[in-house]
Amino acid sequence: MKSNRFVGIGLGLLVVLAAGSFVVAPGGARPPPVDFDDTVKVGLSLEERQSIGERVIPRVQVSYSQYPYVVGYRGLGQAAEAVDDPLIHQQFGYPRVVYVEVAPADVEVDDAGLLVGDRTNTWLPAEDVAYVVGSNATIADTTVTVPFEREADASAFADEYGGQVVEWSDRTRFEAPAGNGTTARSRIDAHHDRADTTVAERHRLLERETSVVVGANEPTVEAAIEAAPPNTTVLLPPGTYEGPIVVDKSVTLRGDNATIAGTGNGSVLTVRASDAAITGLSITGVGGEQEKENVSVEGWDSHTVEAYGYADSGIVVDDADRVLVFRTDIATRTAGITVRNSEETVVDTVSVSGAETWEDGFMGVTTIRSPIVLQNSTFVDGRDGVYMHRSPGITVRENRFVGGRYGGHFMYTSDGLFADNCATGQQYAGVVVMTSPTGTAISGNTVIESGQGIVPSGSDSYVGENTVVGTRQGISTNARNSLYTRNTVVGNDVGFRSASIIPTSRVVGNDIVDNHRPVNVGTGPLRIWSHDGAGNYWGAEVDTDREFVPSDSVDGRLHRDPAARTLAASPVVRGIRELRTTAPGMRPATVVDAHPRSTPVNETRLERGRALANGTAPTDELGCPA
């Protein structure tokens, strides 16, 4: 009788769960368009939107049958691809209606290729709109499809600016949609090659002949710089030299166990000449001001530049290109190195020691509109190891970030590479990407004992081959249309966080094991973390003959609770699982791996991650893998 009672409870649970979760696909009348500000918006980085300003951006809104929000697309290409994507249908349901905001009849194309005119806020069903493809109109260097209410207006636009008039049924001809992370991954080798070339060119600045020796030929560093011919070396013998110093000539300033000591006010060494080099120095006596009151910068990002780009620094590179900073140590209570408006500059093998508490410190390296190469360097304490603002194509590789708030901090910076770095003891995250850039590649990094591991955003990003151990949350999937693969996420409170409410990324081929919770799911629809018959490795306890639901209260405990393994095999749970497979409405915000792996993706890296988690892995003096 007792066993029958439990069966009855189980069947009752099954019925209750079914009744509570089932949602019938909406039908009936076509829903009207909504205010675009009320949609969940995708498309274009924040920097691109700021640059476009008040010009016309074609917009689309789509209502899906299994998604409670209306999705707004900036640009027609991504929307056109999404409405025909089977994976989108599986996660969001079918598109109930697609509305397109038509351009004004008199829209023009300016010299930058951008659309100029008044926004109409007129939304029509996509099939009732005429479209111009292949014209001179562009957004973010991509040809843009322009929608019109009347075919005659579309034809007039095509006559003026080129292109052809097509219908919604021809949407495969719309502009190329946003990438899916594979482009960012495919660029990594070429990115490294360009960085290698830049580093080799800058290192030639170290081969210059010595023309002036401070003390022997000139009494001060300033006098020696003034006396030195361009493209020669000024040598500083052992000793301490007074700062501040300005390098306004293309010379190499080489120290031989030399220290430049500032006064404790302002920056210590400022480089204002292109093709200058700094090497072999120690910098002390940096001032304590993080933000200057007398700085005025123009542009939409002026507030950010004024707040972060003019702090007292050990070294400032200001409007100078092709500068090298090499084998230099900086002790600072504010910024270590600030690089403003510089191209092809290299910071290599430097050490920056900042304030012990990040709230009191500032950035190890700050780049303002400067896609530098930063490599082989060490940053201890302070606020952020490297803060990157509008520095597209920047390279940050093989550095160590210890303590602080963030190891790497991307702001308005697309197409950056953050590779093979180690971040440990970061208060908030090993690396964070803000302001929705595109094309970021985060590859081969190790994050240990930090608040979070990797927190990307934006779109078309690649997060791959990273190891994240001992954090509160390993990797967040904020970046849309991105690829998360071959990561090793071990021994964290939460392995992955499925954070985007528009889950359009691919999460496949990762080793996600020994985390207290494999996955934490935010608001949104079903997430499918497998592709072409391949999924992720969740541990030896997972039954690979069925789909695995790491966000589920049962499957999510298999690795740490024997009772969960027994419950997972019970008839009741199997029945619920089967019902959820056949009834889309039975799935709340959920992650499903339809093809979980039976073996690790990278067993060597997984064992190293486990050794880091349990403290048996060899590490250097700063806690990074030896």
Side-chain angles (χ1 to χ4, degrees), residues 121-154:
N121 205 31
T122 298
W123 296 88
L124 300 178
E127 60 270 20
D128 296 340
V129 175
Y131 305 88
V132 177
V133 299
S135 72
N136 296 332
T138 62
I139 291 179
D141 299 321
T142 300
T143 300
V144 63
T145 300
V146 187
F148 290 91
E149 181 175 3
R150 299 172 59 248
E151 186 174 351
D153 295 330

mmCIF file of all heavy atoms in Angstrom, residues 121-154:
data_model
loop_
_atom_site.group_PDB
_atom_site.id
_atom_site.type_symbol
_atom_site.label_atom_id
_atom_site.label_comp_id
_atom_site.label_asym_id
_atom_site.label_seq_id
_atom_site.Cartn_x
_atom_site.Cartn_y
_atom_site.Cartn_z
ATOM 1 N N ASN A 121 8.584 56.035 -38.023
ATOM 2 C CA ASN A 121 7.839 55.254 -37.033
ATOM 3 C C ASN A 121 6.585 54.634 -37.643
ATOM 4 O O ASN A 121 5.583 54.416 -36.957
ATOM 5 C CB ASN A 121 7.477 56.116 -35.822
ATOM 6 C CG ASN A 121 7.269 55.278 -34.570
ATOM 7 O OD1 ASN A 121 7.899 54.234 -34.402
ATOM 8 N ND2 ASN A 121 6.363 55.707 -33.705
ATOM 9 N N THR A 122 6.652 54.373 -38.941
ATOM 10 C CA THR A 122 5.577 53.681 -39.645
ATOM 11 C C THR A 122 5.982 52.228 -39.826
ATOM 12 O O THR A 122 6.947 51.926 -40.527
ATOM 13 C CB THR A 122 5.310 54.321 -41.018
ATOM 14 O OG1 THR A 122 4.900 55.674 -40.831
ATOM 15 C CG2 THR A 122 4.232 53.557 -41.783
ATOM 16 N N TRP A 123 5.235 51.321 -39.179
ATOM 17 C CA TRP A 123 5.563 49.903 -39.190
ATOM 18 C C TRP A 123 4.544 49.155 -40.039
ATOM 19 O O TRP A 123 3.338 49.224 -39.794
ATOM 20 C CB TRP A 123 5.553 49.344 -37.766
ATOM 21 C CG TRP A 123 6.618 49.950 -36.891
ATOM 22 C CD1 TRP A 123 6.508 51.087 -36.137
ATOM 23 C CD2 TRP A 123 7.936 49.455 -36.696
ATOM 24 N NE1 TRP A 123 7.686 51.331 -35.482
ATOM 25 C CE2 TRP A 123 8.587 50.337 -35.796
ATOM 26 C CE3 TRP A 123 8.636 48.352 -37.175
ATOM 27 C CZ2 TRP A 123 9.897 50.151 -35.389
ATOM 28 C CZ3 TRP A 123 9.951 48.162 -36.771
ATOM 29 C CH2 TRP A 123 10.558 49.046 -35.885
ATOM 30 N N LEU A 124 5.059 48.440 -41.043
ATOM 31 C CA LEU A 124 4.203 47.685 -41.942
ATOM 32 C C LEU A 124 4.603 46.213 -41.933
ATOM 33 O O LEU A 124 5.769 45.876 -41.685
ATOM 34 C CB LEU A 124 4.314 48.224 -43.375
ATOM 35 C CG LEU A 124 3.921 49.692 -43.597
ATOM 36 C CD1 LEU A 124 4.142 50.058 -45.050
ATOM 37 C CD2 LEU A 124 2.469 49.926 -43.193
ATOM 38 N N PRO A 125 3.659 45.308 -42.210
ATOM 39 C CA PRO A 125 4.038 43.899 -42.355
ATOM 40 C C PRO A 125 5.124 43.751 -43.410
ATOM 41 O O PRO A 125 5.094 44.413 -44.455
ATOM 42 C CB PRO A 125 2.728 43.229 -42.787
ATOM 43 C CG PRO A 125 1.651 44.122 -42.255
ATOM 44 C CD PRO A 125 2.204 45.511 -42.358
ATOM 45 N N ALA A 126 6.094 42.893 -43.130
ATOM 46 C CA ALA A 126 7.272 42.789 -43.989
ATOM 47 C C ALA A 126 6.920 42.501 -45.437
ATOM 48 O O ALA A 126 7.579 42.993 -46.363
ATOM 49 C CB ALA A 126 8.212 41.700 -43.443
ATOM 50 N N GLU A 127 5.860 41.718 -45.656
ATOM 51 C CA GLU A 127 5.504 41.340 -47.026
ATOM 52 C C GLU A 127 4.873 42.494 -47.799
ATOM 53 O O GLU A 127 4.714 42.406 -49.028
ATOM 54 C CB GLU A 127 4.554 40.140 -47.011
ATOM 55 C CG GLU A 127 3.243 40.368 -46.287
ATOM 56 C CD GLU A 127 3.307 40.021 -44.814
ATOM 57 O OE1 GLU A 127 4.433 39.971 -44.255
ATOM 58 O OE2 GLU A 127 2.232 39.815 -44.203
ATOM 59 N N ASP A 128 4.532 43.597 -47.116
ATOM 60 C CA ASP A 128 3.919 44.754 -47.783
ATOM 61 C C ASP A 128 4.920 45.860 -48.090
ATOM 62 O O ASP A 128 4.523 46.955 -48.499
ATOM 63 C CB ASP A 128 2.804 45.332 -46.906
ATOM 64 C CG ASP A 128 1.655 44.354 -46.705
ATOM 65 O OD1 ASP A 128 1.535 43.415 -47.516
ATOM 66 O OD2 ASP A 128 0.907 44.518 -45.720
ATOM 67 N N VAL A 129 6.212 45.585 -47.898
ATOM 68 C CA VAL A 129 7.246 46.611 -48.022
ATOM 69 C C VAL A 129 8.115 46.308 -49.246
ATOM 70 O O VAL A 129 8.357 45.146 -49.584
ATOM 71 C CB VAL A 129 8.115 46.649 -46.746
ATOM 72 C CG1 VAL A 129 9.282 47.619 -46.896
ATOM 73 C CG2 VAL A 129 7.251 47.023 -45.541
ATOM 74 N N ALA A 130 8.587 47.380 -49.915
ATOM 75 C CA ALA A 130 9.553 47.254 -51.014
ATOM 76 C C ALA A 130 10.947 47.537 -50.479
ATOM 77 O O ALA A 130 11.141 48.461 -49.670
ATOM 78 C CB ALA A 130 9.201 48.216 -52.135
ATOM 79 N N TYR A 131 11.927 46.767 -50.926
ATOM 80 C CA TYR A 131 13.280 46.856 -50.379
ATOM 81 C C TYR A 131 14.287 47.139 -51.491
ATOM 82 O O TYR A 131 14.181 46.601 -52.593
ATOM 83 C CB TYR A 131 13.664 45.544 -49.691
ATOM 84 C CG TYR A 131 12.701 45.108 -48.623
ATOM 85 C CD1 TYR A 131 11.590 44.328 -48.940
ATOM 86 C CD2 TYR A 131 12.877 45.490 -47.300
ATOM 87 C CE1 TYR A 131 10.686 43.927 -47.962
ATOM 88 C CE2 TYR A 131 11.977 45.098 -46.313
ATOM 89 C CZ TYR A 131 10.885 44.319 -46.653
ATOM 90 O OH TYR A 131 9.988 43.933 -45.689
ATOM 91 N N VAL A 132 15.292 47.971 -51.142
ATOM 92 C CA VAL A 132 16.395 48.223 -52.063
ATOM 93 C C VAL A 132 17.648 47.557 -51.508
ATOM 94 O O VAL A 132 18.065 47.847 -50.378
ATOM 95 C CB VAL A 132 16.638 49.731 -52.256
ATOM 96 C CG1 VAL A 132 17.849 49.959 -53.167
ATOM 97 C CG2 VAL A 132 15.409 50.400 -52.848
ATOM 98 N N VAL A 133 18.232 46.651 -52.279
ATOM 99 C CA VAL A 133 19.476 45.974 -51.891
ATOM 100 C C VAL A 133 20.590 46.418 -52.829
ATOM 101 O O VAL A 133 20.342 46.792 -53.983
ATOM 102 C CB VAL A 133 19.325 44.436 -51.939
ATOM 103 C CG1 VAL A 133 18.252 43.963 -50.972
ATOM 104 C CG2 VAL A 133 19.006 43.954 -53.346
ATOM 105 N N GLY A 134 21.820 46.390 -52.314
ATOM 106 C CA GLY A 134 22.980 46.678 -53.152
ATOM 107 C C GLY A 134 23.190 48.134 -53.495
ATOM 108 O O GLY A 134 23.882 48.453 -54.470
ATOM 109 N N SER A 135 22.618 49.060 -52.696
ATOM 110 C CA SER A 135 22.812 50.483 -52.971
ATOM 111 C C SER A 135 24.111 50.970 -52.331
ATOM 112 O O SER A 135 24.889 50.191 -51.774
ATOM 113 C CB SER A 135 21.633 51.284 -52.418
ATOM 114 O OG SER A 135 21.682 51.331 -50.994
ATOM 115 N N ASN A 136 24.324 52.278 -52.387
ATOM 116 C CA ASN A 136 25.504 52.883 -51.764
ATOM 117 C C ASN A 136 25.336 53.102 -50.268
ATOM 118 O O ASN A 136 26.267 53.552 -49.601
ATOM 119 C CB ASN A 136 25.818 54.233 -52.424
ATOM 120 C CG ASN A 136 26.193 54.080 -53.882
ATOM 121 O OD1 ASN A 136 26.714 53.042 -54.282
ATOM 122 N ND2 ASN A 136 25.909 55.109 -54.689
ATOM 123 N N ALA A 137 24.162 52.799 -49.739
ATOM 124 C CA ALA A 137 23.915 53.015 -48.310
ATOM 125 C C ALA A 137 24.621 51.942 -47.481
ATOM 126 O O ALA A 137 24.575 50.751 -47.805
ATOM 127 C CB ALA A 137 22.416 52.979 -48.033
ATOM 128 N N THR A 138 25.282 52.388 -46.418
ATOM 129 C CA THR A 138 26.017 51.464 -45.546
ATOM 130 C C THR A 138 25.785 51.822 -44.083
ATOM 131 O O THR A 138 25.461 52.962 -43.749
ATOM 132 C CB THR A 138 27.530 51.493 -45.822
ATOM 133 O OG1 THR A 138 28.028 52.813 -45.535
ATOM 134 C CG2 THR A 138 27.846 51.126 -47.252
ATOM 135 N N ILE A 139 25.983 50.823 -43.238
ATOM 136 C CA ILE A 139 26.058 51.004 -41.793
ATOM 137 C C ILE A 139 27.173 50.099 -41.302
ATOM 138 O O ILE A 139 27.194 48.907 -41.616
ATOM 139 C CB ILE A 139 24.741 50.651 -41.082
ATOM 140 C CG1 ILE A 139 23.655 51.670 -41.429
ATOM 141 C CG2 ILE A 139 24.932 50.617 -39.565
ATOM 142 C CD1 ILE A 139 22.308 51.380 -40.790
ATOM 143 N N ALA A 140 28.116 50.672 -40.555
ATOM 144 C CA ALA A 140 29.245 49.903 -40.030
ATOM 145 C C ALA A 140 29.975 49.185 -41.163
ATOM 146 O O ALA A 140 30.324 48.005 -41.065
ATOM 147 C CB ALA A 140 28.793 48.920 -38.965
ATOM 148 N N ASP A 141 30.184 49.906 -42.274
ATOM 149 C CA ASP A 141 30.943 49.398 -43.422
ATOM 150 C C ASP A 141 30.277 48.205 -44.105
ATOM 151 O O ASP A 141 30.927 47.454 -44.836
ATOM 152 C CB ASP A 141 32.369 49.010 -43.008
ATOM 153 C CG ASP A 141 33.158 50.187 -42.459
ATOM 154 O OD1 ASP A 141 32.995 51.290 -43.011
ATOM 155 O OD2 ASP A 141 33.922 50.006 -41.503
ATOM 156 N N THR A 142 28.987 48.006 -43.873
ATOM 157 C CA THR A 142 28.237 46.925 -44.514
ATOM 158 C C THR A 142 27.081 47.521 -45.295
ATOM 159 O O THR A 142 26.367 48.397 -44.795
ATOM 160 C CB THR A 142 27.697 45.933 -43.465
ATOM 161 O OG1 THR A 142 28.783 45.368 -42.739
ATOM 162 C CG2 THR A 142 26.907 44.818 -44.137
ATOM 163 N N THR A 143 26.895 47.067 -46.525
ATOM 164 C CA THR A 143 25.767 47.530 -47.317
ATOM 165 C C THR A 143 24.455 47.241 -46.589
ATOM 166 O O THR A 143 24.270 46.161 -46.032
ATOM 167 C CB THR A 143 25.756 46.827 -48.689
ATOM 168 O OG1 THR A 143 26.967 47.128 -49.370
ATOM 169 C CG2 THR A 143 24.574 47.287 -49.528
ATOM 170 N N VAL A 144 23.578 48.220 -46.592
ATOM 171 C CA VAL A 144 22.346 48.098 -45.812
ATOM 172 C C VAL A 144 21.140 48.035 -46.750
ATOM 173 O O VAL A 144 21.098 48.710 -47.785
ATOM 174 C CB VAL A 144 22.216 49.279 -44.817
ATOM 175 C CG1 VAL A 144 22.112 50.605 -45.537
ATOM 176 C CG2 VAL A 144 21.025 49.072 -43.906
ATOM 177 N N THR A 145 20.188 47.195 -46.411
ATOM 178 C CA THR A 145 18.925 47.119 -47.141
ATOM 179 C C THR A 145 18.011 48.241 -46.669
ATOM 180 O O THR A 145 17.859 48.459 -45.462
ATOM 181 C CB THR A 145 18.260 45.759 -46.908
ATOM 182 O OG1 THR A 145 19.136 44.730 -47.369
ATOM 183 C CG2 THR A 145 16.935 45.666 -47.642
ATOM 184 N N VAL A 146 17.384 48.945 -47.621
ATOM 185 C CA VAL A 146 16.565 50.109 -47.287
ATOM 186 C C VAL A 146 15.101 49.794 -47.621
ATOM 187 O O VAL A 146 14.772 49.471 -48.772
ATOM 188 C CB VAL A 146 17.028 51.357 -48.064
ATOM 189 C CG1 VAL A 146 16.279 52.594 -47.574
ATOM 190 C CG2 VAL A 146 18.533 51.552 -47.920
ATOM 191 N N PRO A 147 14.196 49.878 -46.633
ATOM 192 C CA PRO A 147 12.778 49.540 -46.855
ATOM 193 C C PRO A 147 11.928 50.777 -47.172
ATOM 194 O O PRO A 147 12.125 51.849 -46.602
ATOM 195 C CB PRO A 147 12.373 48.940 -45.507
ATOM 196 C CG PRO A 147 13.220 49.678 -44.506
ATOM 197 C CD PRO A 147 14.499 50.058 -45.202
ATOM 198 N N PHE A 148 10.963 50.602 -48.081
ATOM 199 C CA PHE A 148 10.071 51.706 -48.466
ATOM 200 C C PHE A 148 8.628 51.231 -48.455
ATOM 201 O O PHE A 148 8.325 50.067 -48.737
ATOM 202 C CB PHE A 148 10.421 52.223 -49.861
ATOM 203 C CG PHE A 148 11.738 52.965 -49.928
ATOM 204 C CD1 PHE A 148 12.915 52.275 -50.215
ATOM 205 C CD2 PHE A 148 11.792 54.323 -49.675
ATOM 206 C CE1 PHE A 148 14.127 52.951 -50.270
ATOM 207 C CE2 PHE A 148 12.999 55.006 -49.733
ATOM 208 C CZ PHE A 148 14.171 54.317 -50.025
ATOM 209 N N GLU A 149 7.729 52.203 -48.170
ATOM 210 C CA GLU A 149 6.303 51.881 -48.168
ATOM 211 C C GLU A 149 5.792 51.681 -49.592
ATOM 212 O O GLU A 149 4.985 50.801 -49.859
ATOM 213 C CB GLU A 149 5.521 53.000 -47.476
ATOM 214 C CG GLU A 149 4.026 52.744 -47.399
ATOM 215 C CD GLU A 149 3.306 53.813 -46.601
ATOM 216 O OE1 GLU A 149 3.961 54.782 -46.163
ATOM 217 O OE2 GLU A 149 2.081 53.670 -46.407
ATOM 218 N N ARG A 150 6.293 52.500 -50.537
ATOM 219 C CA ARG A 150 5.833 52.441 -51.916
ATOM 220 C C ARG A 150 6.965 51.980 -52.824
ATOM 221 O O ARG A 150 8.109 52.409 -52.696
ATOM 222 C CB ARG A 150 5.338 53.815 -52.365
ATOM 223 C CG ARG A 150 4.153 54.344 -51.552
ATOM 224 C CD ARG A 150 3.819 55.788 -51.895
ATOM 225 N NE ARG A 150 3.481 55.976 -53.300
ATOM 226 C CZ ARG A 150 4.232 56.647 -54.167
ATOM 227 N NH1 ARG A 150 5.379 57.208 -53.763
ATOM 228 N NH2 ARG A 150 3.870 56.772 -55.420
ATOM 229 N N GLU A 151 6.629 51.113 -53.764
ATOM 230 C CA GLU A 151 7.633 50.612 -54.707
ATOM 231 C C GLU A 151 8.210 51.745 -55.549
ATOM 232 O O GLU A 151 9.393 51.729 -55.913
ATOM 233 C CB GLU A 151 7.015 49.538 -55.604
ATOM 234 C CG GLU A 151 8.043 48.864 -56.513
ATOM 235 C CD GLU A 151 7.454 47.704 -57.296
ATOM 236 O OE1 GLU A 151 6.307 47.309 -57.011
ATOM 237 O OE2 GLU A 151 8.144 47.200 -58.201
ATOM 238 N N ALA A 152 7.378 52.762 -55.852
ATOM 239 C CA ALA A 152 7.870 53.885 -56.650
ATOM 240 C C ALA A 152 8.982 54.628 -55.918
ATOM 241 O O ALA A 152 9.980 55.056 -56.537
ATOM 242 C CB ALA A 152 6.711 54.841 -56.968
ATOM 243 N N ASP A 153 8.839 54.792 -54.599
ATOM 244 C CA ASP A 153 9.887 55.465 -53.829
ATOM 245 C C ASP A 153 11.152 54.615 -53.792
ATOM 246 O O ASP A 153 12.272 55.140 -53.852
ATOM 247 C CB ASP A 153 9.396 55.734 -52.412
ATOM 248 C CG ASP A 153 8.231 56.713 -52.386
ATOM 249 O OD1 ASP A 153 8.172 57.578 -53.278
ATOM 250 O OD2 ASP A 153 7.397 56.599 -51.471
ATOM 251 N N ALA A 154 10.987 53.302 -53.684
ATOM 252 C CA ALA A 154 12.150 52.415 -53.703
ATOM 253 C C ALA A 154 12.874 52.504 -55.039
ATOM 254 O O ALA A 154 14.119 52.548 -55.092
ATOM 255 C CB ALA A 154 11.707 50.982 -53.424
#
